[in-house]
Amino acid sequence: MDILKNAIDWFIGLGGTYFVPIVMLMIGLASRAGLKTSITSALLIGIGLTGLNLITDFSVQAMQPVTKALSTRLNTDFSIVDIGYGSVTAAWSWPGVPWVILGIILVNLLFVSLKWTSTLWVDMWNIWHGEALGVMFWAFTGNLWLGIAVGVGTLVLSMFLADFHAEKFQEFNKLDGVTIPAPSATFPATFAFFMMKIINVIPGLNKVKASSADLKEKFGLLGENSVIGALLGIVIGIVSGIEVAAIIQLAIKLAAILVILPAMLQFVADGILPITANLSTFMKERFKGRKLNIAVDPVMLLSDPSVMSTVVIMYPIAIFLSAFLPGNNFLPVASLAALPYWIGGMAPYTKGNIIYNVILTTIWIIPTTLVATQLAALTTGAADLTNVLNGSVAKDVLVNCWDEGGNLLLWVIVKISELVGIGG
């Protein structure tokens, strides 16, 4: 038993960047993806995760002095550093990783067999959402198994939400036989489901018409991530009162972050998809005659022009809303990369109406940003436990992100846990 425990500890000790590709290699081989596909996919995943690590460190180093200057200039506290999708690395680097993966796979197979769900969870990559909440709750309680329970429980809830939203996702995006169980899509979609019921009974507002014109075509350069990043850098630099040279450097750095970050995520997605496709075929052979929806990445929700049009509009709104939000100590910059997935989840219910997209996203950002302030200690604790930051920030500096770092469900679980004397 000690030998097995030591072997597992050694494997986890490699870090998520290194053991996740090995796990995916084994899944690929087991699902008959073939040696070549399995190896190349595993390497792409490793490359993407390595790139995420590098861009996380770069983001932290770029934004620390700026948030400090901005805090002083506006007489506010933006001391929580945005690490964007740095939480992904922590999510894949804790001892609960294999147990959360095993847990959701076994629960999913059981529920599919019992016909309690029609979602066949073969999207291995987006298990990271549950992993992220799990490692944060582990940091909060110090109890590994409670962390694993929160991770698996969140994914099971999101699986049922994927069942509920599947028809809307398919109809709006012209997809067939798939659904998206990632919480970054299902949670905002659930929010939009209820909010549109309210909007639809408000006189005047329920008659608003807004086209889904693609802003990238309409406004040219202003729709490019690199230009958006540079403009954000210039505006934030001017508002924070830093020197001209520092403003130029910040503009280039934020342009790089908003271009490189999606590219690294795409590397991971490109590695995951071939394995997921083979795993899907492998599983469908074992559930013949059943109408199942295959779990896919939320990137599938970004095809409608209204989504990215809304994203471009929301970049400046999100920055300045967060800057002047009472009680907020977190300024999202790298975390802006989460916007497309949230809006992609909402758009099927707004029917691509950009005005509704902007209203719903603005409302969604407010509690998410405040929760990111509240849960920063948990994200920082998770980063410390997994050594993600690797000394790139001072010991007394808090870090967080929007996607999962601002998860409303986890905040509720934490508050209930505090009431019953768990964690803290």
Side-chain angles (χ1 to χ4, degrees):
M1 197 67 180
D2 286 340
I3 295 174
L4 178 61
K5 181 180 181 301
N6 290 336
I8 293 173
D9 288 344
W10 175 85
F11 185 60
I12 298 296
L14 290 173
T17 304
Y18 309 105
F19 77 69
V20 169
I22 296 174
V23 170
M24 296 311 296
L25 171 63
M26 292 188 291
I27 291 174
L29 293 173
S31 61
R32 301 173 188 168
L35 183 62
K36 180 182 176 182
T37 298
S38 299
I39 290 176
T40 54
S41 293
L43 287 174
L44 279 175
I45 294 167
I47 291 166
L49 291 175
T50 300
L52 280 174
N53 281 342
L54 294 173
I55 201 65
T56 298
D57 291 344
F58 185 72
S59 301
V60 169
Q61 292 165 8
M63 287 307 300
Q64 262 192 292
V66 180
T67 52
K68 186 176 180 180
L70 194 59
S71 298
T72 303
R73 187 79 179 269
L74 298 179
N75 196 28
T76 53
D77 177 13
F78 294 125
S79 56
I80 300 171
V81 177
D82 182 11
I83 59 171
Y85 279 100
S87 57
V88 173
T89 311
W92 290 118
S93 303
W94 68 302
V97 167
W99 302 109
V100 173
I101 293 174
L102 185 62
I104 185 58
I105 289 175
L106 290 178
V107 170
N108 180 243
L109 289 176
L110 175 63
F111 285 12
V112 167
S113 300
L114 295 172
K115 299 184 179 180
W116 290 357
T117 181
S118 59
T119 297
L120 187 56
W121 198 311
V122 295
D123 177 16
M124 295 295 105
W125 166 244
N126 281 291
I127 288 176
W128 82 262
H129 293 275
E131 299 281 11
L133 298 184
V135 68
M136 288 170 68
F137 201 67
W138 177 42
F140 173 67
T141 63
N143 187 308
L144 178 66
W145 293 105
L146 285 178
I148 292 168
V150 165
V152 174
T154 301
L155 296 176
V156 171
L157 171 62
S158 200
M159 176 184 71
F160 286 126
L161 291 177
D163 285 337
F164 181 79
H165 297 302
E167 186 176 343
K168 276 287 186 182
F169 287 162
Q170 292 171 11
E171 177 186 327
F172 183 73
N173 293 283
K174 298 177 177 60
L175 302 170
D176 185 44
V178 302
T179 190
I180 293 83
S184 56
T186 58
F187 286 18
T190 305
F191 169 74
F193 169 78
F194 288 108
M195 286 300 299
M196 286 309 299
K197 289 187 176 298
I198 297 172
I199 287 176
N200 286 333
V201 297
I202 299 176
L205 186 58
N206 61 0
K207 301 296 183 184
V208 170
K209 303 292 182 184
S211 69
S212 307
D214 189 348
L215 286 190
K216 188 173 283 189
E217 292 180 7
K218 191 171 183 179
F219 293 105
L221 280 176
L222 292 179
E224 297 290 341
N225 277 354
S226 57
V227 177
I228 292 168
L231 289 176
L232 285 175
I234 292 170
V235 173
I236 293 171
I238 292 172
V239 174
S240 62
I242 59 179
E243 297 179 354
V244 174
I247 292 175
I248 294 171
Q249 292 169 354
L250 180 64
I252 299 299
K253 287 177 180 178
L254 293 193
I257 289 168
L258 289 189
V259 171
I260 296 172
L261 185 60
M264 293 305 102
L265 291 171
Q266 190 60 51
F267 270 123
V268 178
D270 288 345
I272 292 283
L273 285 175
I275 293 176
T276 298
N278 279 275
L279 185 57
S280 170
T281 302
F282 182 79
M283 296 302 296
K284 275 194 166 184
E285 289 175 355
R286 280 144 185 80
F287 293 100
K288 289 180 179 178
R290 288 283 308 279
K291 180 176 174 16
L292 296 174
N293 292 317
I294 302 302
V296 295
D297 191 270
V299 73
M300 302 297 288
L301 299 176
L302 310 187
S303 60
D304 190 84
S306 68
V307 175
M308 294 312 295
S309 296
T310 307
V311 169
V312 173
I313 295 170
M314 285 307 305
Y315 276 142
I317 293 175
I319 288 283
F320 287 101
L321 177 63
S322 301
F324 296 101
L325 186 62
N328 177 46
N329 305 129
F330 173 77
L331 189 68
V333 177
S335 283
L336 294 174
L339 283 172
Y341 306 109
W342 292 348
I343 296 166
M346 296 177 189
Y349 289 96
T350 66
K351 298 179 180 178
N353 187 307
I354 295 176
I355 299 298
Y356 296 160
N357 284 350
V358 169
I359 292 172
L360 266 57
T361 307
T362 301
I363 296 171
W364 178 263
I365 282 172
I366 293 172
T368 300
T369 304
L370 292 174
V371 166
T373 292
Q374 296 268 320
L375 297 183
L378 273 65
T379 302
T380 306
D384 288 339
L385 286 170
T386 55
N387 199 31
V388 166
L389 299 177
N390 204 21
S392 60
V393 297
K395 286 187 177 180
D396 59 341
V397 173
L398 295 175
V399 301
N400 209 351
C401 54
W402 261 350
D403 201 350
E404 304 317 341
N407 187 286
L408 303 179
L409 175 63
L410 181 62
W411 180 81
V412 171
I413 294 172
V414 166
K415 291 303 175 184
I416 294 174
S417 299
E418 288 175 341
L419 286 176
V420 299
I422 297 174

